[in-house]
Structure formats: structure tokens, C-alpha cells
Amino acid sequence: MSIVIRKMRAGDSALWAEMRFKLWDSLSIDEHLGDIGRMLKGKKRTGYLALRPDQAPLGFAEICIREYANGCTAQPVPFLEGIWIDPKHRRQGVGRALLENITGDLIKQGFRELCSDADIRNRRSHQAHQNWGFTETERVVYFRKVL
């Protein structure tokens, strides 16, 4: 399958919000649109879109430049905040194409690593990360205390 990868633009906001909602359904479409608007104005977060040559969407990925991330060796560090591929197109190289494009952009910017995370129970994501060339660095349990 031929795949076109490009950075997200303001004109992609509605489509982007729909895909984000499929990955992160705890936020409404309007909340995603607000987040996208802030992302497009800032310099630390970037979205990438995977398309077929006819412009039909296949998926997306988002990168954020974080000051620190568990398991990283450099600071600041680019972090894969999320990646979603349409279920009909999974295991067809879409995620790999997104990651190859993102990796190329990050290398040009002088970064030496890309970090990510996945829920401890999400074994499919763990396997996908390994397939994309990520190496597991540590496992963490997060805590919260209500004040």
C-alpha cells in the first residue's frame, strides 16, 4: 500500500479531532479541537497524518518535546504521545511509515532518541513498539493522593 505522511495543518483539525477521539475518548470532539488549536500555535507538539494517495486518512501520530521522560537518556526528549491507525489498515506498515517519517524529522532537529509509553496491560501496543524499533526501558506504577 502506498502511504503519504505529512505534518498536520489547521485544515486537518476536524479529521484530526475525530481520529484523536477514537484513541482518547475521555475528551469530547470539542475538547480535542481546542487541544489541536493550542498544539498548532505552540512549538513543542506536532501531529503527523498518514494518508492514502487519494487523501483518505489511515491514522495519525503526535509528538511532544518533553523536558524529561522516564527511560530517556537526553533532555529535552521527543515523546510519542499517541499513535492511532484505522483498524482496517493495521499491520500494513502505516505505523512504521509514520515512525520513519517522524524519526527522520527528529534526527534533522538534532535529537538522538524518541521515547514513548503504553499501558501495562496493552500488550498489542508493546509489540507494536518493539516492531517499530523501541526498546523497553522500565515499568512504573503511578500513584495519586487526593488533597
Side-chain angles (χ1 to χ4, degrees):
M1 169 178 23
S2 184
I3 303 166
V4 176
I5 307 294
R6 66 170 172 78
K7 287 186 178 179
M8 295 280 195
R9 302 185 282 241
D12 301 317
S13 294
L15 171 64
W16 191 358
E18 288 174 23
M19 289 189 292
R20 281 178 121 240
F21 181 74
K22 291 174 183 174
L23 180 60
W24 299 305
D25 64 1
S26 63
L27 298 177
S28 70
I29 296 286
D30 285 340
E31 289 170 313
H32 283 297
L33 286 168
D35 198 31
I36 289 166
R38 288 184 293 280
M39 188 182 310
L40 289 169
K41 290 178 186 172
K43 297 182 194 260
K44 291 193 174 203
R45 293 168 64 196
T46 307
Y48 290 80
L49 181 59
L51 303 162
R52 290 192 323 218
D54 66 0
Q55 302 301 297
L58 299 170
F60 80 100
E62 291 182 14
I63 301 296
C64 178
I65 306 302
R66 291 185 176 187
E67 292 304 314
Y68 171 81
N70 289 6
C72 68
T73 61
Q75 293 151 355
V77 61
F79 195 88
L80 179 63
E81 295 291 345
I83 183 167
W84 179 84
I85 310 302
D86 186 303
K88 295 177 288 200
H89 300 287
R90 291 182 183 162
R91 303 192 59 79
Q92 296 179 31
V94 178
R96 181 172 302 282
L98 277 162
L99 268 294
E100 286 174 0
N101 189 284
I102 290 166
T103 298
D105 282 357
L106 294 172
I107 289 169
K108 287 177 193 171
Q109 294 173 49
F111 290 106
R112 300 186 329 254
E113 64 186 347
L114 171 62
C115 293
S116 184
D117 64 11
D119 187 275
I120 199 162
R121 297 172 304 252
N122 192 343
R123 293 176 192 245
R124 291 172 73 193
S125 181
H126 301 175
Q127 185 61 54
H129 278 78
Q130 288 175 353
N131 293 345
W132 297 327
F134 285 86
T135 305
E136 184 176 325
T137 59
E138 62 185 69
R139 293 191 177 224
V140 176
V141 177
Y142 292 97
F143 295 93
R144 178 176 79 105
K145 178 180 178 178
V146 176
L147 304 178

